[in-house]
Amino acid sequence: QVQLVESGGGSVQAGGSLRLSCAASGITAGAYYCMGWFRQAPGKEREGVAIIDTGGSFRYYADSVKGRFTISQDNAKNTLYLQMNDLKPEDTAMYYCAARRRLIRQCSPSLADYNLWGQGTQVTVSS
């Protein structure tokens, strides 16, 4: 059973940086996954921020974070990262790690595509 555990959230001032980590356990050896970061601000819907195909070149970034956020993976550690630079107050949200086994369908930022979720880590950016 796959489990996802996020860490690295916190409070920073605008313009600062944070790196989120998502440690995955129970990953099937040799399998490919769509993995990504979603966020949800109070009163708003959860949205896809950055997605990666662990076995391919697919990368997705929401327009609001392009050029500021970078998603990466460390296969040896089964860990997903989100480097967030030049943070803005509008980046304040609960950030969730998500995954699904990538069999045939290409990875996407659609919320409904993901059946594995972490508990979330809070990111707060003050102006």
Side-chain angles (χ1 to χ4, degrees), residues 70-119:
T70 303
I71 190 170
S72 63
Q73 62 187 51
D74 184 331
N75 290 334
K77 296 182 179 179
N78 285 338
T79 301
L80 183 73
Y81 300 100
L82 185 68
Q83 178 67 43
M84 306 186 294
N85 298 328
D86 189 23
L87 282 160
K88 303 177 180 181
E90 51 264 43
D91 294 318
T92 294
M94 184 71 79
Y95 283 71
Y96 297 90
C97 177
R100 72 163 170 88
R101 185 88 175 263
R102 199 258 295 162
L103 297 175
I104 297 176
R105 283 186 298 114
Q106 187 179 10
C107 300
S108 83
S110 174
L111 202 70
D113 276 357
Y114 295 83
N115 61 336
L116 302 166
W117 292 87
Q119 81 288 351

Side-chain angles (χ1 to χ4, degrees), residues 19-62:
R19 189 177 79 157
L20 305 184
S21 298
C22 172
S25 59
I27 293 289
T28 300
Y32 298 137
Y33 288 80
C34 298
M35 297 191 72
W37 294 94
F38 291 76
R39 67 184 180 186
Q40 188 166 20
K44 294 188 177 181
E45 294 185 353
R46 195 172 297 190
E47 61 172 353
V49 174
I51 306 293
I52 191 170
D53 181 337
T54 66
S57 60
F58 178 87
R59 301 288 185 277
Y60 165 86
Y61 292 97

